[in-house]
Amino acid sequence: MRAARLIKMVLLLQSRPAMTAAELAQELEVSERTVTRDAQALSEAGVPVYADRGRAGGYRLVGGYRTRLTGLARNEAEALFLSGLPSALREMGLEDAASAARLKVSAALLPSLRDASASAAQCFHLDAPGWYQEPVTPELLPAVAEAVWDDRIVHARYRRGGRDGEVERELAPYGLVLKAGVWYLCARVAEDFRVYRIDRFSAVAVSHERFARDEAFDLPGFWDERAAQFARSLLRTEVTVRVSAQGVRRLPYAMDRSAVRDALEAAGPADTQGWLTVTLPVESLDVAYSQLLLLGPESEVLEPAALRARFVAAAERLCDLYR
């Protein structure tokens, strides 16, 4: 533990001209007295740490000293590629590895480039969850992430959506996906690849046994294909709607974008009022009702009759309210 802290202290001093005891204590999460003892230990070990006295004083490395302890460990190198996703790293238990990797990279850079990580962090930030959603980190995510990184077999109990009871599965965990604040595992079961929601795992046991990855497996491509299949599987019925030019512009924000795109491409020419008639696949009439309400008077439901009658009743209630 102390050895790792001493290495981190050297890397911090190597990446900056000087640091006060208070700054080092905050970075290392120790007391200033511990910083003083660590600096003395480094000096005795041959690392030229120099302490400047006075109010503007601090610690620095003498004579352009460069440590050779900047080689990245495997987990640090992998975490570095995810360092733009601080919340995801934290949830997977990789925050410390990414921090160490960034320090090592900063220590290896020229002095003129050492602020690159800070300046980049001020220019780009990813906030994965959607609006009005409180992100919840699945308790078993770190264990699953560890298995993914190490290519280890997982024995898991899983609650199936919409069904009673649980199933037990032996999984080869290939990759994790964070979609709109929800974590998913893409895993191989026997010879099939499937997708599991992490928050539906009730138990996870990571085996010492490793699996051999299929080198042809492409996580982004697999996820895009499965996500498209899932979206299409939800669209089980159809509605026919007239929409104004403004309604056409709003449609992609109210309904499934790919379904809207296909429906508009298949639509005929606009009528004399400039309105288009489109047939849209929808999840259900209840969902279609909620979605089309967002268009207000820029859409008119033609079919099915039951949905049209529902909008007629809603319009009458609105008239009564605003008279």
PDB file of all heavy atoms in Angstrom, residues 239-265:
ATOM      1  N   VAL A 239     -50.853   2.286 -37.220  1.00  0.00           N
ATOM      2  CA  VAL A 239     -51.847   3.362 -37.253  1.00  0.00           C
ATOM      3  C   VAL A 239     -51.620   4.167 -38.526  1.00  0.00           C
ATOM      4  O   VAL A 239     -50.489   4.296 -39.008  1.00  0.00           O
ATOM      5  CB  VAL A 239     -51.749   4.290 -36.023  1.00  0.00           C
ATOM      6  CG1 VAL A 239     -52.044   3.522 -34.749  1.00  0.00           C
ATOM      7  CG2 VAL A 239     -50.385   4.952 -35.934  1.00  0.00           C
ATOM      8  N   THR A 240     -52.701   4.706 -39.069  1.00  0.00           N
ATOM      9  CA  THR A 240     -52.627   5.571 -40.255  1.00  0.00           C
ATOM     10  C   THR A 240     -52.960   6.990 -39.831  1.00  0.00           C
ATOM     11  O   THR A 240     -53.998   7.231 -39.187  1.00  0.00           O
ATOM     12  CB  THR A 240     -53.596   5.088 -41.351  1.00  0.00           C
ATOM     13  OG1 THR A 240     -53.295   3.731 -41.677  1.00  0.00           O
ATOM     14  CG2 THR A 240     -53.453   5.957 -42.602  1.00  0.00           C
ATOM     15  N   VAL A 241     -52.088   7.908 -40.187  1.00  0.00           N
ATOM     16  CA  VAL A 241     -52.186   9.280 -39.678  1.00  0.00           C
ATOM     17  C   VAL A 241     -51.918  10.276 -40.798  1.00  0.00           C
ATOM     18  O   VAL A 241     -51.068  10.047 -41.668  1.00  0.00           O
ATOM     19  CB  VAL A 241     -51.148   9.504 -38.540  1.00  0.00           C
ATOM     20  CG1 VAL A 241     -51.327  10.870 -37.899  1.00  0.00           C
ATOM     21  CG2 VAL A 241     -51.246   8.417 -37.490  1.00  0.00           C
ATOM     22  N   ARG A 242     -52.666  11.376 -40.787  1.00  0.00           N
ATOM     23  CA  ARG A 242     -52.336  12.539 -41.631  1.00  0.00           C
ATOM     24  C   ARG A 242     -51.516  13.507 -40.778  1.00  0.00           C
ATOM     25  O   ARG A 242     -51.879  13.785 -39.628  1.00  0.00           O
ATOM     26  CB  ARG A 242     -53.588  13.269 -42.124  1.00  0.00           C
ATOM     27  CG  ARG A 242     -54.370  12.579 -43.210  1.00  0.00           C
ATOM     28  CD  ARG A 242     -55.585  13.415 -43.584  1.00  0.00           C
ATOM     29  NE  ARG A 242     -55.224  14.632 -44.292  1.00  0.00           N
ATOM     30  CZ  ARG A 242     -55.579  15.871 -43.928  1.00  0.00           C
ATOM     31  NH1 ARG A 242     -56.280  16.064 -42.811  1.00  0.00           N
ATOM     32  NH2 ARG A 242     -55.229  16.911 -44.651  1.00  0.00           N
ATOM     33  N   VAL A 243     -50.428  14.013 -41.333  1.00  0.00           N
ATOM     34  CA  VAL A 243     -49.586  14.947 -40.579  1.00  0.00           C
ATOM     35  C   VAL A 243     -49.249  16.147 -41.442  1.00  0.00           C
ATOM     36  O   VAL A 243     -49.018  16.034 -42.649  1.00  0.00           O
ATOM     37  CB  VAL A 243     -48.277  14.268 -40.107  1.00  0.00           C
ATOM     38  CG1 VAL A 243     -48.529  13.342 -38.946  1.00  0.00           C
ATOM     39  CG2 VAL A 243     -47.597  13.524 -41.233  1.00  0.00           C
ATOM     40  N   SER A 244     -49.239  17.316 -40.797  1.00  0.00           N
ATOM     41  CA  SER A 244     -48.867  18.558 -41.480  1.00  0.00           C
ATOM     42  C   SER A 244     -47.351  18.596 -41.675  1.00  0.00           C
ATOM     43  O   SER A 244     -46.617  17.726 -41.184  1.00  0.00           O
ATOM     44  CB  SER A 244     -49.306  19.751 -40.650  1.00  0.00           C
ATOM     45  OG  SER A 244     -48.552  19.805 -39.442  1.00  0.00           O
ATOM     46  N   ALA A 245     -46.881  19.629 -42.377  1.00  0.00           N
ATOM     47  CA  ALA A 245     -45.439  19.775 -42.577  1.00  0.00           C
ATOM     48  C   ALA A 245     -44.735  19.917 -41.231  1.00  0.00           C
ATOM     49  O   ALA A 245     -43.656  19.343 -41.010  1.00  0.00           O
ATOM     50  CB  ALA A 245     -45.150  20.986 -43.468  1.00  0.00           C
ATOM     51  N   GLN A 246     -45.347  20.668 -40.307  1.00  0.00           N
ATOM     52  CA  GLN A 246     -44.753  20.808 -38.984  1.00  0.00           C
ATOM     53  C   GLN A 246     -44.818  19.491 -38.222  1.00  0.00           C
ATOM     54  O   GLN A 246     -43.898  19.130 -37.485  1.00  0.00           O
ATOM     55  CB  GLN A 246     -45.474  21.909 -38.196  1.00  0.00           C
ATOM     56  CG  GLN A 246     -44.825  22.217 -36.854  1.00  0.00           C
ATOM     57  CD  GLN A 246     -45.453  23.402 -36.150  1.00  0.00           C
ATOM     58  OE1 GLN A 246     -46.322  24.058 -36.692  1.00  0.00           O
ATOM     59  NE2 GLN A 246     -45.011  23.661 -34.938  1.00  0.00           N
ATOM     60  N   GLY A 247     -45.903  18.736 -38.413  1.00  0.00           N
ATOM     61  CA  GLY A 247     -46.031  17.432 -37.776  1.00  0.00           C
ATOM     62  C   GLY A 247     -44.971  16.452 -38.256  1.00  0.00           C
ATOM     63  O   GLY A 247     -44.457  15.649 -37.478  1.00  0.00           O
ATOM     64  N   VAL A 248     -44.646  16.529 -39.554  1.00  0.00           N
ATOM     65  CA  VAL A 248     -43.588  15.675 -40.103  1.00  0.00           C
ATOM     66  C   VAL A 248     -42.265  15.963 -39.406  1.00  0.00           C
ATOM     67  O   VAL A 248     -41.498  15.041 -39.091  1.00  0.00           O
ATOM     68  CB  VAL A 248     -43.459  15.878 -41.627  1.00  0.00           C
ATOM     69  CG1 VAL A 248     -42.184  15.213 -42.158  1.00  0.00           C
ATOM     70  CG2 VAL A 248     -44.686  15.318 -42.339  1.00  0.00           C
ATOM     71  N   ARG A 249     -41.994  17.228 -39.137  1.00  0.00           N
ATOM     72  CA  ARG A 249     -40.742  17.587 -38.457  1.00  0.00           C
ATOM     73  C   ARG A 249     -40.724  17.097 -37.008  1.00  0.00           C
ATOM     74  O   ARG A 249     -39.672  16.770 -36.464  1.00  0.00           O
ATOM     75  CB  ARG A 249     -40.526  19.103 -38.500  1.00  0.00           C
ATOM     76  CG  ARG A 249     -40.214  19.635 -39.890  1.00  0.00           C
ATOM     77  CD  ARG A 249     -39.725  21.074 -39.833  1.00  0.00           C
ATOM     78  NE  ARG A 249     -40.789  21.987 -39.426  1.00  0.00           N
ATOM     79  CZ  ARG A 249     -41.642  22.585 -40.262  1.00  0.00           C
ATOM     80  NH1 ARG A 249     -41.563  22.335 -41.569  1.00  0.00           N
ATOM     81  NH2 ARG A 249     -42.567  23.404 -39.818  1.00  0.00           N
ATOM     82  N   ARG A 250     -41.910  17.030 -36.384  1.00  0.00           N
ATOM     83  CA  ARG A 250     -41.975  16.604 -34.983  1.00  0.00           C
ATOM     84  C   ARG A 250     -42.002  15.085 -34.814  1.00  0.00           C
ATOM     85  O   ARG A 250     -41.632  14.576 -33.751  1.00  0.00           O
ATOM     86  CB  ARG A 250     -43.236  17.171 -34.326  1.00  0.00           C
ATOM     87  CG  ARG A 250     -43.226  18.676 -34.111  1.00  0.00           C
ATOM     88  CD  ARG A 250     -44.486  19.064 -33.364  1.00  0.00           C
ATOM     89  NE  ARG A 250     -44.655  20.504 -33.249  1.00  0.00           N
ATOM     90  CZ  ARG A 250     -45.724  21.069 -32.703  1.00  0.00           C
ATOM     91  NH1 ARG A 250     -46.711  20.313 -32.244  1.00  0.00           N
ATOM     92  NH2 ARG A 250     -45.818  22.379 -32.620  1.00  0.00           N
ATOM     93  N   LEU A 251     -42.438  14.368 -35.835  1.00  0.00           N
ATOM     94  CA  LEU A 251     -42.628  12.925 -35.713  1.00  0.00           C
ATOM     95  C   LEU A 251     -41.403  12.177 -35.163  1.00  0.00           C
ATOM     96  O   LEU A 251     -41.546  11.331 -34.281  1.00  0.00           O
ATOM     97  CB  LEU A 251     -43.017  12.327 -37.072  1.00  0.00           C
ATOM     98  CG  LEU A 251     -44.497  12.070 -37.326  1.00  0.00           C
ATOM     99  CD1 LEU A 251     -44.696  11.498 -38.723  1.00  0.00           C
ATOM    100  CD2 LEU A 251     -45.088  11.135 -36.281  1.00  0.00           C
ATOM    101  N   PRO A 252     -40.178  12.449 -35.666  1.00  0.00           N
ATOM    102  CA  PRO A 252     -39.025  11.694 -35.154  1.00  0.00           C
ATOM    103  C   PRO A 252     -38.756  11.903 -33.671  1.00  0.00           C
ATOM    104  O   PRO A 252     -38.055  11.100 -33.055  1.00  0.00           O
ATOM    105  CB  PRO A 252     -37.850  12.225 -36.007  1.00  0.00           C
ATOM    106  CG  PRO A 252     -38.489  12.800 -37.223  1.00  0.00           C
ATOM    107  CD  PRO A 252     -39.800  13.357 -36.758  1.00  0.00           C
ATOM    108  N   TYR A 253     -39.279  12.983 -33.096  1.00  0.00           N
ATOM    109  CA  TYR A 253     -39.083  13.244 -31.670  1.00  0.00           C
ATOM    110  C   TYR A 253     -40.191  12.612 -30.821  1.00  0.00           C
ATOM    111  O   TYR A 253     -40.078  12.569 -29.596  1.00  0.00           O
ATOM    112  CB  TYR A 253     -39.026  14.752 -31.408  1.00  0.00           C
ATOM    113  CG  TYR A 253     -37.918  15.435 -32.162  1.00  0.00           C
ATOM    114  CD1 TYR A 253     -38.175  16.075 -33.378  1.00  0.00           C
ATOM    115  CD2 TYR A 253     -36.608  15.413 -31.694  1.00  0.00           C
ATOM    116  CE1 TYR A 253     -37.148  16.691 -34.085  1.00  0.00           C
ATOM    117  CE2 TYR A 253     -35.584  16.017 -32.398  1.00  0.00           C
ATOM    118  CZ  TYR A 253     -35.861  16.657 -33.598  1.00  0.00           C
ATOM    119  OH  TYR A 253     -34.843  17.251 -34.311  1.00  0.00           O
ATOM    120  N   ALA A 254     -41.253  12.137 -31.484  1.00  0.00           N
ATOM    121  CA  ALA A 254     -42.381  11.552 -30.758  1.00  0.00           C
ATOM    122  C   ALA A 254     -42.414  10.030 -30.856  1.00  0.00           C
ATOM    123  O   ALA A 254     -42.911   9.361 -29.952  1.00  0.00           O
ATOM    124  CB  ALA A 254     -43.694  12.124 -31.291  1.00  0.00           C
ATOM    125  N   MET A 255     -41.864   9.481 -31.972  1.00  0.00           N
ATOM    126  CA  MET A 255     -41.976   8.051 -32.217  1.00  0.00           C
ATOM    127  C   MET A 255     -40.626   7.482 -32.633  1.00  0.00           C
ATOM    128  O   MET A 255     -39.650   8.229 -32.779  1.00  0.00           O
ATOM    129  CB  MET A 255     -43.046   7.804 -33.294  1.00  0.00           C
ATOM    130  CG  MET A 255     -44.363   8.527 -33.031  1.00  0.00           C
ATOM    131  SD  MET A 255     -45.650   8.165 -34.229  1.00  0.00           S
ATOM    132  CE  MET A 255     -46.250   6.609 -33.605  1.00  0.00           C
ATOM    133  N   ASP A 256     -40.566   6.162 -32.827  1.00  0.00           N
ATOM    134  CA  ASP A 256     -39.322   5.510 -33.214  1.00  0.00           C
ATOM    135  C   ASP A 256     -38.795   6.115 -34.518  1.00  0.00           C
ATOM    136  O   ASP A 256     -39.496   6.144 -35.545  1.00  0.00           O
ATOM    137  CB  ASP A 256     -39.563   4.009 -33.403  1.00  0.00           C
ATOM    138  CG  ASP A 256     -38.311   3.266 -33.793  1.00  0.00           C
ATOM    139  OD1 ASP A 256     -37.504   2.973 -32.903  1.00  0.00           O
ATOM    140  OD2 ASP A 256     -38.147   2.988 -34.996  1.00  0.00           O
ATOM    141  N   ARG A 257     -37.549   6.582 -34.475  1.00  0.00           N
ATOM    142  CA  ARG A 257     -36.996   7.330 -35.614  1.00  0.00           C
ATOM    143  C   ARG A 257     -36.901   6.487 -36.883  1.00  0.00           C
ATOM    144  O   ARG A 257     -37.239   6.953 -37.969  1.00  0.00           O
ATOM    145  CB  ARG A 257     -35.620   7.884 -35.254  1.00  0.00           C
ATOM    146  CG  ARG A 257     -35.673   9.050 -34.289  1.00  0.00           C
ATOM    147  CD  ARG A 257     -34.281   9.513 -33.890  1.00  0.00           C
ATOM    148  NE  ARG A 257     -34.350  10.664 -32.996  1.00  0.00           N
ATOM    149  CZ  ARG A 257     -34.287  11.926 -33.389  1.00  0.00           C
ATOM    150  NH1 ARG A 257     -34.132  12.203 -34.666  1.00  0.00           N
ATOM    151  NH2 ARG A 257     -34.358  12.920 -32.526  1.00  0.00           N
ATOM    152  N   SER A 258     -36.406   5.251 -36.747  1.00  0.00           N
ATOM    153  CA  SER A 258     -36.261   4.434 -37.948  1.00  0.00           C
ATOM    154  C   SER A 258     -37.622   4.092 -38.541  1.00  0.00           C
ATOM    155  O   SER A 258     -37.794   4.060 -39.771  1.00  0.00           O
ATOM    156  CB  SER A 258     -35.478   3.157 -37.623  1.00  0.00           C
ATOM    157  OG  SER A 258     -36.152   2.386 -36.645  1.00  0.00           O
ATOM    158  N   ALA A 259     -38.630   3.851 -37.673  1.00  0.00           N
ATOM    159  CA  ALA A 259     -39.977   3.559 -38.163  1.00  0.00           C
ATOM    160  C   ALA A 259     -40.566   4.770 -38.877  1.00  0.00           C
ATOM    161  O   ALA A 259     -41.213   4.642 -39.928  1.00  0.00           O
ATOM    162  CB  ALA A 259     -40.876   3.135 -37.003  1.00  0.00           C
ATOM    163  N   VAL A 260     -40.338   5.950 -38.324  1.00  0.00           N
ATOM    164  CA  VAL A 260     -40.815   7.189 -38.957  1.00  0.00           C
ATOM    165  C   VAL A 260     -40.144   7.392 -40.310  1.00  0.00           C
ATOM    166  O   VAL A 260     -40.790   7.745 -41.307  1.00  0.00           O
ATOM    167  CB  VAL A 260     -40.560   8.397 -38.028  1.00  0.00           C
ATOM    168  CG1 VAL A 260     -40.784   9.711 -38.779  1.00  0.00           C
ATOM    169  CG2 VAL A 260     -41.460   8.320 -36.802  1.00  0.00           C
ATOM    170  N   ARG A 261     -38.836   7.147 -40.364  1.00  0.00           N
ATOM    171  CA  ARG A 261     -38.104   7.323 -41.616  1.00  0.00           C
ATOM    172  C   ARG A 261     -38.659   6.404 -42.707  1.00  0.00           C
ATOM    173  O   ARG A 261     -38.917   6.833 -43.848  1.00  0.00           O
ATOM    174  CB  ARG A 261     -36.626   7.041 -41.406  1.00  0.00           C
ATOM    175  CG  ARG A 261     -35.766   7.245 -42.655  1.00  0.00           C
ATOM    176  CD  ARG A 261     -34.325   6.836 -42.432  1.00  0.00           C
ATOM    177  NE  ARG A 261     -34.210   5.406 -42.137  1.00  0.00           N
ATOM    178  CZ  ARG A 261     -33.820   4.921 -40.972  1.00  0.00           C
ATOM    179  NH1 ARG A 261     -33.476   5.723 -39.985  1.00  0.00           N
ATOM    180  NH2 ARG A 261     -33.736   3.612 -40.798  1.00  0.00           N
ATOM    181  N   ASP A 262     -38.867   5.128 -42.353  1.00  0.00           N
ATOM    182  CA  ASP A 262     -39.393   4.185 -43.339  1.00  0.00           C
ATOM    183  C   ASP A 262     -40.808   4.564 -43.771  1.00  0.00           C
ATOM    184  O   ASP A 262     -41.156   4.441 -44.963  1.00  0.00           O
ATOM    185  CB  ASP A 262     -39.401   2.767 -42.750  1.00  0.00           C
ATOM    186  CG  ASP A 262     -37.990   2.234 -42.498  1.00  0.00           C
ATOM    187  OD1 ASP A 262     -37.035   2.817 -43.058  1.00  0.00           O
ATOM    188  OD2 ASP A 262     -37.860   1.263 -41.721  1.00  0.00           O
ATOM    189  N   ALA A 263     -41.626   5.023 -42.814  1.00  0.00           N
ATOM    190  CA  ALA A 263     -43.005   5.385 -43.135  1.00  0.00           C
ATOM    191  C   ALA A 263     -43.049   6.595 -44.068  1.00  0.00           C
ATOM    192  O   ALA A 263     -43.852   6.640 -45.012  1.00  0.00           O
ATOM    193  CB  ALA A 263     -43.780   5.675 -41.854  1.00  0.00           C
ATOM    194  N   LEU A 264     -42.192   7.577 -43.839  1.00  0.00           N
ATOM    195  CA  LEU A 264     -42.164   8.773 -44.693  1.00  0.00           C
ATOM    196  C   LEU A 264     -41.670   8.433 -46.090  1.00  0.00           C
ATOM    197  O   LEU A 264     -42.156   8.993 -47.086  1.00  0.00           O
ATOM    198  CB  LEU A 264     -41.283   9.843 -44.057  1.00  0.00           C
ATOM    199  CG  LEU A 264     -41.815  10.479 -42.763  1.00  0.00           C
ATOM    200  CD1 LEU A 264     -40.796  11.454 -42.183  1.00  0.00           C
ATOM    201  CD2 LEU A 264     -43.139  11.203 -43.030  1.00  0.00           C
ATOM    202  N   GLU A 265     -40.710   7.503 -46.179  1.00  0.00           N
ATOM    203  CA  GLU A 265     -40.214   7.109 -47.501  1.00  0.00           C
ATOM    204  C   GLU A 265     -41.286   6.376 -48.307  1.00  0.00           C
ATOM    205  O   GLU A 265     -41.321   6.470 -49.541  1.00  0.00           O
ATOM    206  CB  GLU A 265     -38.976   6.222 -47.349  1.00  0.00           C
ATOM    207  CG  GLU A 265     -37.744   6.967 -46.851  1.00  0.00           C
ATOM    208  CD  GLU A 265     -36.568   6.036 -46.631  1.00  0.00           C
ATOM    209  OE1 GLU A 265     -36.746   4.801 -46.755  1.00  0.00           O
ATOM    210  OE2 GLU A 265     -35.463   6.540 -46.323  1.00  0.00           O
TER     211      GLU A 265
END
